[in-house]
Amino acid sequence: MDISDVIAPDFLYVSLLVALYGILLLSYRILLHPLKAYPGPFLARLSDIHNGYYAMRKSLHLVSRSDHQKYGKVIRHGPNKLLFNTPKALHDIYNNDMVVKSYVYSVFIQTPGVHSLFTVVDKQHHTAKRRIVGQVINDRAFSTSGALSALFFYLSQSPSCYERLATEIRSAFATSHEIRGGPKLAGCQYLRACIDEALRIAPPVPGTMWREPAANNSKPLIIDGHYIPPGTQIGVNIYAIHHNPEYFQDPFTFKPERWLSETPEAQRKSMQDAFSAFSVGYRGCAGKAMAYLESSLVVAKTLWYFDFERAPGKLGEVGGGRPGSHNGRSRLDEFQLYDIISGAHDGPFLIFTSRGDSSASERR
């Protein structure tokens, strides 16, 4: 007897079983799954292939926002995933003892059993690690390169914002030596508004920080009025909520003044509730204060010593979108982020010119 006569029937039998299992699984996810009533992309309801494909293209944040526009504020973005787009959900999820970091963070563990502040799930272990990080945070501030790049990109193409910020900084300080942490720097309100606007429009982490119900929950988990079944992944996409026009009017327009008193208080309160550049709750970024200080010092020192403008020609367009693009990157004046957990980016390319009056004032 030829061995192929034995293997062929067995292979066919196994193939039929796998196909049957696949059909039953997909049918369950569409017809019987606890999340079946939630809208969302059809492929995402069947498989995580939907998210995986766009994650590989570094554009999942763009697709998440687009899907919210199509399907609503609460969407099924995976067989066992619910994606929210409201401030209430933001705080219900990330400031809640009944949820823990999703198991998906385990893929970032490089050494078994060794966790970083980013990957640790247990709350007590996270608190202990955060305490250690807090003790050395003065030597290791949160990376601000993305927000600063975005800020310089938008200032270079927003003459009125550039002029207002430059005037504030150059009027607030008599010499560059005064530019340091303290009341004068903290009093530069437009500077802080520019930094907040850059963090909103180009958040350092533009994707979704997935969470799941804690295994020891004795009470039902309710997120923005929705009961969350055990085993469900839940999250808010930061890029999507930061570009939701319900909370941020003209969301793709760089408008630092939206954060100042010239904007009605009720609108500012709505924006603050939806703002999550550093996350919220006990897992919020431990380096938030240092990030603001570092960004403020860099921008203030730069505008004290220099004027800058976009590089000429095509080089000056680096960092923006491409008109006619159909992948969510068609806005030439939008600083483009590439979602690889943090927001990778290109550009901008700028030309800096030394300010003669600043050097003269330093010598006096």
Side-chain angles (χ1 to χ4, degrees):
M1 176 183 296
D2 195 305
I3 191 170
S4 62
D5 295 331
V6 177
I7 294 178
D10 289 344
F11 179 77
L12 178 62
Y13 178 71
V14 171
S15 299
L16 289 174
L17 285 179
V18 170
L20 178 60
Y21 172 78
I23 292 172
L24 292 175
L25 178 62
L26 297 180
S27 299
Y28 166 76
R29 289 176 172 176
I30 291 295
L31 302 174
L32 300 174
H33 196 279
L35 304 182
K36 66 180 185 297
Y38 287 95
F42 181 73
L43 184 57
R45 295 158 63 87
L46 294 177
S47 166
D48 281 317
I49 290 176
H50 172 273
N51 283 10
Y53 172 76
Y54 289 106
M56 291 179 61
R57 295 174 63 89
K58 305 176 185 178
S59 61
L60 186 55
H61 61 301
L62 301 175
V63 173
S64 297
R65 178 183 181 274
S66 176
D67 287 343
H68 274 302
Q69 290 181 303
K70 292 178 184 177
Y71 301 106
K73 295 180 179 180
V74 187
I75 61 177
R76 190 176 175 190
H77 226 230
N80 301 304
K81 292 179 177 177
L82 285 182
L83 192 62
F84 292 79
N85 194 22
T86 66
K88 182 68 166 61
L90 181 69
H91 293 272
D92 282 353
I93 293 172
Y94 300 105
N95 199 9
N96 193 333
D97 289 335
M98 294 178 65
V99 303
V100 297
K101 277 193 170 182
S102 166
Y103 72 89
V104 300
Y105 284 87
S106 62
V107 304
F108 303 109
I109 298 176
Q110 297 181 340
T111 304
V114 179
H115 295 271
S116 67
L117 193 63
F118 178 72
T119 62
V120 65
V121 172
D122 182 81
K123 182 179 180 181
Q124 291 183 338
H125 290 168
H126 178 272
T127 301
K129 285 182 177 291
R130 185 185 177 93
R131 189 178 299 116
I132 295 172
V133 170
Q135 294 171 355
V136 299
I137 197 66
N138 289 332
D139 305 320
R140 295 168 57 207
F142 182 89
S143 174
T144 56
S145 63
L148 286 173
S149 296
L151 178 52
F152 283 115
F153 174 89
Y154 285 108
L155 287 175
S156 70
Q157 60 183 18
S158 306
S160 61
C161 297
Y162 178 100
E163 189 62 32
R164 182 171 176 178
L165 179 58
T167 299
E168 178 183 71
I169 291 171
R170 294 166 187 174
S171 301
F173 305 100
T175 70
S176 68
H177 302 299
E178 294 183 359
I179 303 177
R180 59 181 182 272
K184 279 193 176 182
L185 188 63
C188 294
Q189 296 182 1
Y190 194 70
L191 171 60
R192 174 60 180 262
C194 285
I195 293 172
D196 279 341
E197 184 68 344
L199 288 167
R200 177 197 70 81
I201 206 165
V205 179
T208 305
M209 298 174 289
W210 291 106
R211 300 290 189 263
E212 62 187 18
N216 59 352
N217 283 348
S218 59
K219 298 179 181 179
L221 177 61
I222 306 297
I223 301 297
D224 197 8
H226 296 261
Y227 167 71
I228 306 300
T232 302
Q233 307 293 302
I234 51 178
V236 173
N237 183 271
I238 305 305
Y239 177 89
I241 197 170
H242 278 191
H243 290 78
N244 188 329
E246 184 172 344
Y247 314 117
F248 302 98
Q249 296 179 5
D250 300 322
F252 291 96
T253 302
F254 182 75
K255 297 172 62 175
E257 61 272 18
R258 73 171 81 234
W259 299 100
L260 300 175
S261 57
E262 55 207 75
T263 298
E265 184 177 356
Q267 184 179 337
R268 283 185 284 128
K269 174 63 166 60
S270 176
M271 292 191 303
Q272 290 289 356
D273 288 343
F275 186 62
S276 185
F278 297 97
S279 191
V280 298
Y282 74 92
R283 286 189 181 273
C285 176
K288 178 179 177 179
M290 281 299 298
Y292 274 117
L293 177 58
E294 183 181 56
S295 298
S296 299
L297 289 171
V298 169
V299 176
K301 288 276 190 178
T302 299
L303 281 173
W304 174 263
Y305 282 112
F306 301 99
D307 282 310
F308 63 87
E309 60 184 345
R310 297 168 65 181
K314 291 295 183 180
L315 198 60
E317 297 178 4
V318 174
R322 295 182 179 180
S325 174
H326 299 290
N327 60 358
R329 301 189 183 278
S330 62
R331 298 178 182 85
L332 182 64
D333 59 351
E334 181 189 5
F335 188 63
Q336 298 299 311
L337 299 177
Y338 299 88
D339 184 5
I340 52 172
I341 304 177
S342 62
H345 59 88
D346 292 325
F349 287 90
L350 307 172
I351 296 176
F352 289 82
T353 305
S354 178
R355 292 179 60 239
D357 58 337
S358 68
S359 299
S361 65
E362 290 293 282
R363 291 193 294 270
R364 286 198 297 267

